[in-house]
Amino acid sequence: LWVVLGILYFFVPLYATFDFSLRAKRGVLSFAAYDNVFHDPKFFKSFGFSVEMAILTIIVSLVIIVPTAYWVHLKLPSFKPVLDFITLVPFVIPAIVLVYGLIKTYSSEPLSFANSPALLVAAYVVLSFPYMYRAVDTGLRAMDVRTLTEAAQSLGAGWPTIITQVI
């Protein structure tokens, strides 16, 4: 019963969305809406922009989160509860409040990013922070970070090499 309810919970909205998308013309099921989208030249430009922003978000998140989580595991384990709390903030504070805070912060004169894609990337980094941190934290817990770091250092590796190639 619970499996069936779970399947219905996830697939009924997907089916309803797909069914709605097939009804571009009243009373007719067709792929006309998809045909319109793929023949619109602005679609590929918008889709490319979305992919670019997603890739930039992943890169910025990795550059911020991997070294932070690594350093907390290696040198500051007492700071882990604080970082765990910080990762819950995007769940507690509504997304609209976070975005408003970003707009107010970055629209002031020294940091005028209000109309740039950098603000979009920053917002996505903040919203994806809990998911990215939990994934990296779980990966770091699965390995012996201290032993790997000491082994890499004994072989002459520096911090950038340790983080990018060992960890």
Side-chain angles (χ1 to χ4, degrees), residues 60-73:
V60 170
S61 293
L62 284 174
V63 166
I64 292 171
I65 293 170
V66 171
T68 303
Y70 170 71
W71 197 254
V72 167
H73 272 272

Side-chain angles (χ1 to χ4, degrees), residues 5-67:
L5 287 175
I7 289 171
L8 288 174
Y9 178 77
F10 286 109
F11 286 108
V12 167
L14 290 175
Y15 173 75
T17 303
F18 179 67
D19 184 57
F20 180 78
S21 73
L22 294 178
R23 297 178 188 271
K25 297 178 184 175
R26 184 175 295 253
V28 177
L29 293 178
S30 70
F31 287 100
Y34 295 100
D35 188 45
N36 292 339
V37 167
F38 287 121
H39 283 93
D40 185 2
K42 293 180 183 177
F43 168 74
F44 291 105
K45 183 178 178 184
S46 299
F47 185 73
F49 179 76
S50 295
V51 169
E52 182 183 331
M53 293 300 104
I55 291 170
L56 282 172
T57 300
I58 292 169
I59 290 170
V60 170
S61 293
L62 284 174
V63 166
I64 292 171
I65 293 170
V66 171

Side-chain angles (χ1 to χ4, degrees), residues 138-150:
T138 301
L140 289 173
R141 285 184 192 194
M143 65 176 87
D144 188 2
V145 174
R146 185 168 308 282
T147 303
L148 286 173
T149 301
E150 290 172 359

Side-chain angles (χ1 to χ4, degrees), residues 53-132:
M53 293 300 104
I55 291 170
L56 282 172
T57 300
I58 292 169
I59 290 170
V60 170
S61 293
L62 284 174
V63 166
I64 292 171
I65 293 170
V66 171
T68 303
Y70 170 71
W71 197 254
V72 167
H73 272 272
L74 188 65
K75 300 284 186 183
L76 300 170
S78 62
F79 193 69
K80 187 159 179 16
V82 174
L83 200 56
D84 286 338
F85 175 75
I86 291 171
T87 62
L88 295 176
V89 169
F91 290 133
V92 176
I93 298 174
I96 192 69
V97 174
L98 291 171
V99 171
Y100 181 73
L102 285 168
I103 289 172
K104 288 298 279 184
T105 301
Y106 292 115
S107 64
S108 62
E109 197 52 43
L111 302 171
S112 185
F113 292 122
N115 294 324
S116 75
L119 184 60
L120 183 62
V121 171
Y124 279 140
V125 166
V126 169
L127 292 176
S128 68
F129 182 62
Y131 305 107
M132 182 70 83

